[in-house]
Amino acid sequence: MNAQAGCFYAVGIGPGSADLLTVRAVDIIKSADVIIAPRAETAEKSIALEAIKPYITDQEIIEHIYPMKRDINATLDCWGKVADIICEKTSQNMSVAQITLGDPLIYSTSSYLLDCLEGKLERKRIQVVPGISAFQAAAAKFQEILCLQEDRVTMMPGTDLIEVGKALESCETLLLYKAGRNIEKIKELLLSRGLLKNAKAAFYVEQDQELLWWNMEEDLDHSGKYMTIVIVRNGSRGWK
Amino acid sequence: MNAQAGCFYAVGIGPGSADLLTVRAVDIIKSADVIIAPRAETAEKSIALEAIKPYITDQEIIEHIYPMKRDINATLDCWGKVADIICEKTSQNMSVAQITLGDPLIYSTSSYLLDCLEGKLERKRIQVVPGISAFQAAAAKFQEILCLQEDRVTMMPGTDLIEVGKALESCETLLLYKAGRNIEKIKELLLSRGLLKNAKAAFYVEQDQELLWWNMEEDLDHSGKYMTIVIVRNGSRGWK
């Protein structure tokens, strides 16, 4: 599927390896006139852009620096400006792809952008290309079965430990995003519930996008790492 | 990444479109000596095999018929036999890929197979290739944001309505798998909670793998469809 003139694509590029993009994502990226690559204001380069380098030839690249603070006004202001650029380019009949790590609809900057485009660009000129999310890449590396039969999986940020504790009561698998800053507290909580032995964690080495992962019982200091995820297996329900 | 001699690959092929496989999945499938394609005993052909036809040349194809009943012994017996075939082929230095719709670790037959291979084939000779899960494909079609900020997402089967009702209390997005048989009861439940207007459903037309989707407020009769998923947006938490 090639990128169409006057259309916008929110493209999930997966966890960071060039061969974990879908064929559709590669086709759209290769054929788009303009690529918008997000870069966190704390990062030296766009991790997403590094990951898709094999697919870049003469597309126009716009690196877009976004804020890393929990401020909805600053966030929407920032993405509103990107939405304006997209509207301008598509009105000139260009095709535009915004690339995003993981999946565009799972804890992703693309979601803000889609919000900002509402009412500005017709929905039929927008397409979302799904991508492999970090939890899927980590589970694949671990060969960790996430759910079968009647199992429930809950995915949430690992930011509020009280909420994390509650969630453990009502799922068989818990996936914690953004767990880097709280990793020691999460370890304590899982230890107190007897679940540390069933917990694994992973994060990306940003330079080369290699996934590092470990059993949480191992005493490694990986606290504070960006994009850390935790997988906790909390039993299984079978068929009832 | 080409398939290596003597190795086994559990390959997620995504929702059914040939261009929603990852590049890695395509490379493994093209280079594997043997492809194991599951077929439900109720199906006339393997949906998974149809989806990857563009990537088939001279690989040996083994269609494997699996039972569609909630019986763990019959299930493990069936997949144990496939595990034996894989061990035999890999011991002859062949590379073997089992293909599965969606992701191999999310409500997937591959997970039974991985269980059955434990202790029979060394872990380092096994690799899991993640795939786009049905909920991601459906969300992309709907342009439906699944989670942002502090949102919680719960994924579960839509088989037990009491459990579904409970789950609605503790997540912002609910993803129901295997919802076809209960779709009318799920509609009633969502209506009683004032959530029907926020609910969407999707399933695949098996013949050509086209995704059909609809807002659940529309009065369509799609009950009983195989592989139906429901997405319910139940609010958002923002940053706290």
Side-chain angles (χ1 to χ4, degrees), chain B residues 197-216:
Chain B
K197 62 184 183 302
N198 306 332
K200 283 145 187 169
F203 69 89
Y204 287 90
V205 179
E206 296 190 17
Q207 292 80 343
D208 56 4
Q209 288 301 309
E210 188 195 351
L211 182 67
L212 279 196
W213 73 103
W214 69 99
N215 292 318
M216 285 185 74

Side-chain angles (χ1 to χ4, degrees), chain A:
Chain A
M1 182 189 293
N2 282 348
Q4 302 295 306
C7 290
F8 168 69
Y9 300 84
V11 179
I13 65 163
S17 311
D19 70 344
L20 282 179
L21 275 79
T22 63
V23 173
R24 185 178 298 175
V26 171
D27 290 346
I28 296 289
I29 288 167
K30 280 185 173 172
S31 59
D33 298 309
V34 182
I35 304 284
I36 296 177
R39 168 152 74 88
E41 60 183 357
T42 50
E44 274 178 34
K45 50 189 180 181
S46 165
I47 309 174
L49 189 57
E50 289 296 304
I52 63 154
K53 274 218 167 134
Y55 309 122
I56 295 298
T57 50
D58 59 351
Q59 302 95 320
E60 179 187 352
I61 307 289
I62 301 178
E63 266 206 25
H64 171 71
I65 294 169
Y66 64 92
M68 291 287 284
K69 47 189 168 193
R70 294 160 73 92
D71 175 338
I72 191 67
N73 291 325
T75 298
L76 290 180
D77 183 56
C78 157
W79 292 107
K81 284 174 190 152
V82 183
D84 290 341
I85 295 171
I86 292 167
C87 291
E88 191 197 321
K89 298 280 185 187
T90 51
S91 73
Q92 294 162 8
N93 256 344
M94 290 180 186
S95 55
V96 182
Q98 185 231 10
I99 55 170
T100 187
L101 283 166
D103 186 288
L105 301 170
I106 299 176
Y107 303 118
S108 164
T109 54
S110 297
S111 296
Y112 296 117
L113 190 48
L114 291 167
D115 257 356
C116 291
L117 283 170
E118 208 164 319
K120 289 186 176 177
L121 188 66
E122 292 165 283
R123 240 179 134 99
K124 67 177 182 190
R125 293 210 281 157
I126 297 177
Q127 201 173 316
V128 177
V129 181
I132 302 293
S133 194
F135 79 89
Q136 296 172 289
K141 277 276 185 192
F142 290 132
Q143 301 179 19
E144 181 87 7
I145 296 166
L146 291 171
C147 47
L148 267 175
Q149 303 164 353
E150 297 293 321
D151 291 344
R152 299 160 296 178
V153 178
T154 292
M155 175 161 63
M156 63 188 291
T159 41
D160 181 332
L161 272 284
I162 294 169
E163 295 291 341
V164 171
K166 274 194 228 164
L168 284 168
E169 311 286 334
S170 57
C171 65
E172 284 64 51
T173 300
L174 185 63
L175 306 171
L176 299 177
Y177 274 68
K178 310 176 197 169
R181 205 166 295 178
N182 276 339
I183 196 90
E184 290 304 322
K185 284 183 191 161
I186 293 169
K187 272 175 90 161
E188 278 169 38
L189 173 67
L190 294 173
L191 187 63
S192 74
R193 303 278 184 106
L195 290 170
L196 196 59
K197 60 183 183 304
N198 306 332
K200 282 147 188 167
F203 70 88
Y204 287 90
V205 179
E206 295 189 19
Q207 292 80 343
D208 56 4
Q209 288 300 310
E210 188 194 352
L211 181 68
L212 279 194
W213 72 104
W214 69 98
N215 292 317
M216 284 185 76
E217 274 190 318
E218 293 171 41
D219 198 21
L220 301 177
D221 178 19
H222 288 314
S223 57
K225 292 294 195 304
Y226 184 50
M227 293 197 290
T228 298
I229 66 162
V230 167
I231 302 178
V232 188
R233 266 308 261 173
N234 189 12
S236 103
R237 302 185 113 188
W239 282 304
K240 291 199 290 188

Side-chain angles (χ1 to χ4, degrees), chain B residues 63-101:
Chain B
E63 265 205 25
H64 172 70
I65 294 168
Y66 64 92
M68 291 287 284
K69 46 189 167 194
R70 294 159 73 93
D71 175 336
I72 191 65
N73 291 326
T75 298
L76 290 180
D77 183 56
C78 157
W79 292 107
K81 284 174 190 151
V82 184
D84 290 341
I85 295 171
I86 291 167
C87 291
E88 191 198 321
K89 298 279 184 188
T90 53
S91 74
Q92 294 163 6
N93 257 344
M94 291 181 186
S95 56
V96 182
Q98 185 231 10
I99 56 169
T100 186
L101 283 166

Side-chain angles (χ1 to χ4, degrees), chain B residues 156-170:
Chain B
M156 63 188 292
T159 41
D160 181 333
L161 272 284
I162 294 170
E163 294 291 340
V164 172
K166 274 194 227 164
L168 285 168
E169 310 287 333
S170 57

